[in-house]
């Protein structure tokens, strides 16, 4: 039997600026991702590498410029038996499942990977909706200023209570 799981819905599920920040840190070598599945998830342009092009594709999805990823479905599935020689370069996987099943009750094990979701916040439940990622408003403070027509300006601002925020979209 050839088994090919497919799920291509709700591409924004689990996708946020936090994922972009983690991918940036990985590219810059500041904080490498610790799982081959996260590396695969970050490769949303299907180039078998993690680059700023992947970040651009995720950003376009978040901003609504594109409705879905252009080169991958919203989920990929990898056989659970896959052994990765190097977790930083996990491109030796297959998404085709070939199994010789002896009975209808035999199980095929696989790992579902939500594309773009490197912080693993996606909800895999088929009936769930995306939930709001923050519960409080971000207060930005700007001093009153007066400007002249055609004047180049710089507006300094401050933000209160930035405890653990790494990115804003």
């Amino acid at each position: 039997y050839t088994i090919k799981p497919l799920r291509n819905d709700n591409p924004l599920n689990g996708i946020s600026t936090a994922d972009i920040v983690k991918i940036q840190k990985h590219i810059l070598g500041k904080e490498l991702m610790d799982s081959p599945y996260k590396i695969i998830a970050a490769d949303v342009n299907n180039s078998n590498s993690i680059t700023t092009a992947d970040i651009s594709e995720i950003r376009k999805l978040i901003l609504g410029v594109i409705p879905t990823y252009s080169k991958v479905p919203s989920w990929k599935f990898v056989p659970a038996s896959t052994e990765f020689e190097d977790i930083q370069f996990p491109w030796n996987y297959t998404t085709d499942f070939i199994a010789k099943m002896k009975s209808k009750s035999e199980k095929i094990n696989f790992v579902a990977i939500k594309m773009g979701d490197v912080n693993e916040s996606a909800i895999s439940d088929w009936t769930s909706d995306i939930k709001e990622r923050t519960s409080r408003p971000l207060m930005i403070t700007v001093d009153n200023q007066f400007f002249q027509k055609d004047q180049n300006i710089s507006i300094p601002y401050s933000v209160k209570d930035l405890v653990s925020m790494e990115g804003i979209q």
Side-chain angles (χ1 to χ4, degrees), residues 23-87:
I23 295 169
Q24 285 173 328
K25 286 180 179 180
H26 177 83
I27 291 171
L28 296 171
K30 291 182 176 184
E31 187 179 312
L32 295 179
M33 288 184 255
D34 59 356
S35 159
Y37 304 113
K38 291 177 185 178
I39 304 283
I40 293 167
D43 183 23
V44 297
N45 69 354
N46 216 27
S47 65
N48 289 349
S49 64
I50 308 303
T51 66
T52 56
D54 296 298
I55 292 172
S56 177
E57 184 95 353
I58 294 169
R59 186 171 282 125
K60 287 177 187 176
L61 183 72
I62 290 171
L63 295 175
V65 174
I66 57 174
T68 61
Y69 294 122
S70 59
K71 308 247 185 206
V72 295
S74 58
W75 292 80
K76 278 190 176 182
F77 299 87
V78 176
S81 61
T82 301
E83 293 184 19
F84 298 98
E85 292 177 26
D86 183 346
I87 67 166

Side-chain angles (χ1 to χ4, degrees), residues 136-142 157-162 165 168:
R136 60 182 176 84
L138 181 65
M139 301 302 293
I140 299 175
T141 305
V142 179
Y157 63 92
S158 62
V159 180
K160 288 187 168 194
D161 302 326
L162 278 182
M165 186 176 304
I168 301 172

Side-chain angles (χ1 to χ4, degrees), residues 85-105:
E85 292 177 26
D86 183 346
I87 67 166
Q88 293 300 315
F89 299 94
W91 315 121
N92 64 325
Y93 67 92
T94 180
T95 55
D96 290 325
F97 296 77
I98 300 171
K100 294 181 186 212
M101 298 172 65
K102 296 176 183 170
S103 70
K104 292 179 183 180
S105 63

